[in-house]
Amino acid sequence: MCARCEAQPKPGRSGRLSQMKPELLSGGGVTAFEKAKMPIILNSNPDQVVMSIWNFTPGWNVEQHGPMPSTYNAKVETIYQRPTFKPYAMNRCLVILTSFQEGQERIIDGKKKKFQYKITKENTHEFCVAGLYRIYQGEIYHTVVTTEANELMAKIHNTQKRMPIVLEPWEEQYWLSGEPFENFADRSNVHLEATPLFSEQPSDKQGGLFD
């Protein structure tokens, strides 16, 4: 997969990303599979932006535990049912983005194809999605919390029909303070914009990150 998230400050505009040194932010975006660092805000220190690795199973021993599970996303409906996430349910964070990518599956000539879209939040450059974090051997690690897709995202992510919990600015403090997960599950009123990133040739294998 090469669906990507981006966190890029806009020249001449203030914002949380403007606090970061440009060299810390990846210009081409990142994927969870790179275990790359992304800017986040911890509920333990909400006034500071820090860099965190997009991965929630640091120190995983493949020989002892088998293949590493997929933990770059945490479904909001099952956080308290997953031993990986349950101990960190109150370790809330905001993951700062300017866009993310998602793939729409279509059948073309009898073959499955993925058409990639760039997703942004309407009328704003940067926005936050809900996350959980943990600290392991001095490094911060995080996962992105997902929910059932709203109308737009269900059309794009039309297989799993999931999306990250994109927060409105006024919701951010409530997420960080530990409000119940169910209060953030409904994203039907979040207005996103989708820009196609394809011309005539979709990918045979590109997938989405927010399953």
Side-chain angles (χ1 to χ4, degrees):
M1 294 184 185
C2 67
R4 309 186 73 83
C5 286
E6 290 187 324
Q8 287 299 307
K10 194 168 185 177
R13 293 186 63 174
S14 61
R16 287 162 166 160
L17 294 177
S18 65
Q19 303 177 34
M20 308 301 296
K21 294 180 179 179
E23 59 268 25
L24 294 178
L25 301 173
S26 176
V30 300
T31 76
F33 312 105
E34 299 167 354
K35 298 181 181 178
K37 289 192 174 183
M38 300 176 64
I40 71 169
I41 295 172
L42 309 180
N43 60 354
S44 60
N45 189 3
D47 296 323
Q48 183 179 3
V49 180
V50 298
M51 299 302 289
S52 169
I53 298 171
W54 191 4
N55 173 37
F56 216 70
T57 48
W60 184 267
N61 187 317
V62 175
E63 292 184 358
Q64 181 179 354
H65 302 294
M68 186 172 69
S70 172
T71 58
Y72 53 84
N73 293 157
K75 291 184 176 181
V76 71
E77 303 92 339
T78 60
I79 286 173
Y80 281 117
Q81 300 167 28
R82 293 281 304 275
T84 301
F85 301 125
K86 184 178 179 180
Y88 306 99
M90 298 307 291
N91 284 20
R92 306 286 182 91
C93 67
L94 306 174
V95 183
I96 308 172
L97 301 179
T98 50
S99 70
F100 62 91
Q101 289 185 25
E102 196 55 84
Q104 180 188 65
E105 185 174 295
R106 304 181 195 175
I107 305 297
I108 307 293
D109 296 328
K111 296 182 179 181
K112 292 181 180 180
K113 305 284 186 177
K114 284 284 186 178
F115 291 77
Q116 293 293 317
Y117 288 82
K118 179 179 181 178
I119 312 299
T120 55
K121 193 169 186 294
E122 190 177 86
N123 298 322
T124 188
H125 176 66
E126 62 183 59
F127 57 94
C128 292
V129 301
L132 303 177
Y133 74 93
R134 62 181 295 188
I135 298 175
Y136 178 79
Q137 294 184 352
E139 286 276 10
I140 304 170
Y141 296 81
H142 74 275
T143 184
V144 171
V145 182
T146 68
T147 188
E148 182 180 346
N150 63 17
E151 184 177 3
L152 172 66
M153 290 306 301
K155 292 177 181 177
I156 295 174
H157 196 199
N158 57 344
T159 51
Q160 299 293 331
K161 296 189 176 181
R162 304 288 297 178
M163 65 176 286
I165 294 182
V166 178
L167 297 167
E168 298 291 358
W170 62 267
E171 293 181 297
E172 294 174 3
Q173 62 178 320
Y174 296 109
W175 173 260
L176 292 178
S177 67
E179 288 286 315
F181 289 118
E182 57 265 28
N183 292 1
F184 305 92
D186 182 2
R187 297 293 94 186
S188 58
N189 291 323
V190 173
H191 298 291
L192 303 174
E193 297 178 337
T195 304
L197 296 176
F198 52 86
S199 53
E200 297 300 323
Q201 297 297 324
S203 166
D204 289 302
K205 57 183 178 181
Q206 300 300 326
L209 289 178
F210 299 111
D211 298 337

